Amino acid sequence: MTSPALTLVLGGTGKTGRRVVRRLTGRGHVVRIGSRTGGIPFDWNDSTTWQPALTGVDAVYVTYQPDLAVPGAPEAIGAFAELAVRTGARRLVLLSGRGEPEAEACEKALAASGAQWTVLRASFFAQNFSEGDFLGPVLDGELALPVGDVQEPFVDADDIAEVAATVLAEGGHTGRTYDLTGPRLLTFAQATAAIGAATGREIGYVTVPAEAYAAELAAHGVPAAVTDLLTYLFTSVLDGRNAYLGDGVRQVLGRPARDFTDHVAEVAATGVWTPGAAS
């Protein structure tokens, strides 16, 4: 008897990773969660953890922390991918970003490894408003970012996870790059207004200068490296270059991507955006 195929999910406790784990296990797949606190720890900053995490693995969902735009990311992705191939992992699926030259360098490093690779280029997560740094400002009633009337096709992390699980579990996706977006373009002001409508609250959106945004982060104790990264992403990737729709969700799943309004209605029903609600 042969052992069932094992899939390593890096960032397996994160926004997309935990959703990928849930879908793969629901399909009956054996999953190893790659995180610093996992049973077999994995840390991008400690390459000695890579080999143990890859032992016996057939496929890998690759997410990089904190972001593919940080210095050294392409080198780390390339080194990891080459090790994965040598170890026996034949299928690597990379979560990438749209419109990021640094992310594209990581994609090239992945492809150069000789793996059966697939790239998932995702737009801005809808869940960033409910599970990330935006939750606090939304609860306070005002979100302030250095982004003007730029439109973004916010994508549901559940769609990303379903695509990733499908690509990891099935053949036919080698060498493909899928552009994962929602089905509609929205500004950040429109997105916060949709949350306000769903919750019956007034939630404002304010465009602020990049310098003011960085100063606000620093005042709240955000490390300089993180502040620089966030400021860079908001002022470059969200400059309008990604204001178009992709069809990757339909290509892989055969259905349209989930609309932001549907996501917001579901999240609003949980009470996450209700100030003072029990967590």
Side-chain angles (χ1 to χ4, degrees), residues 22 27 30 38 56 68 82 85 101 118 134 146 153-155 157 162 181 188 210 215 244 258 264:
R22 187 164 64 243
R27 289 172 175 246
V30 181
L68 293 176
E82 290 174 4
V85 171
T118 306
F134 294 173
F154 299 102
V155 65
E162 191 170 344
T181 77
F188 277 80
Y244 63 94
R258 193 177 187 207
V264 165

Side-chain angles (χ1 to χ4, degrees), residues 31-249:
V31 176
R32 175 178 295 159
I33 294 176
S35 71
R36 285 175 291 186
T37 58
I40 301 178
F42 178 89
D43 186 344
W44 276 113
N45 295 316
D46 182 0
S47 59
T48 65
T49 66
W50 300 359
Q51 177 79 55
L54 283 166
T55 300
V57 166
D58 180 70
V60 187
Y61 178 60
V62 183
T63 63
Y64 187 82
Q65 295 295 327
D67 191 271
L68 293 176
V70 303
E75 292 79 8
I77 292 291
F80 174 81
E82 290 174 4
L83 177 61
V85 171
R86 292 199 304 271
T87 304
R90 61 189 179 86
R91 186 172 297 168
L92 303 184
V93 178
L94 175 68
L95 178 62
S96 187
R98 303 173 92 218
E100 295 183 34
E102 300 87 352
E104 292 178 16
C106 292
E107 296 171 9
K108 292 177 181 178
L110 181 82
S113 69
Q116 296 177 20
W117 61 270
T118 306
V119 169
L120 309 181
R121 284 185 186 161
S123 59
F124 202 89
F125 298 175
Q127 276 77 3
N128 286 338
F129 293 92
S130 59
E131 299 178 16
D133 294 336
F134 294 173
L135 177 57
V138 169
L139 287 171
D140 291 339
E142 183 178 272
L143 177 63
L145 296 173
V147 182
D149 291 331
V150 173
Q151 293 182 311
E152 174 72 9
F154 299 102
V155 65
D156 194 320
D158 283 310
D159 278 351
I160 298 172
E162 191 170 344
V163 168
T166 300
V167 171
L168 287 161
E170 302 175 0
H173 303 282
T174 298
R176 300 291 300 275
T177 296
Y178 293 111
D179 195 10
L180 307 183
T181 77
R184 189 159 53 102
L185 291 167
L186 293 168
T187 65
F188 277 80
Q190 290 171 328
T192 53
I195 296 172
T199 57
R201 300 176 53 225
E202 289 290 333
I203 303 174
Y205 178 77
V206 179
T207 301
V208 296
E211 296 79 8
Y213 175 72
E216 182 69 15
L217 292 180
H220 283 82
V222 177
V226 177
T227 295
D228 291 344
L229 173 63
L230 291 174
T231 304
Y232 164 73
L233 291 174
F234 282 124
T235 57
S236 59
V237 177
L238 289 169
D239 63 358
R241 70 183 67 180
N242 291 322
Y244 63 94
L245 303 180
D247 199 32
V249 172

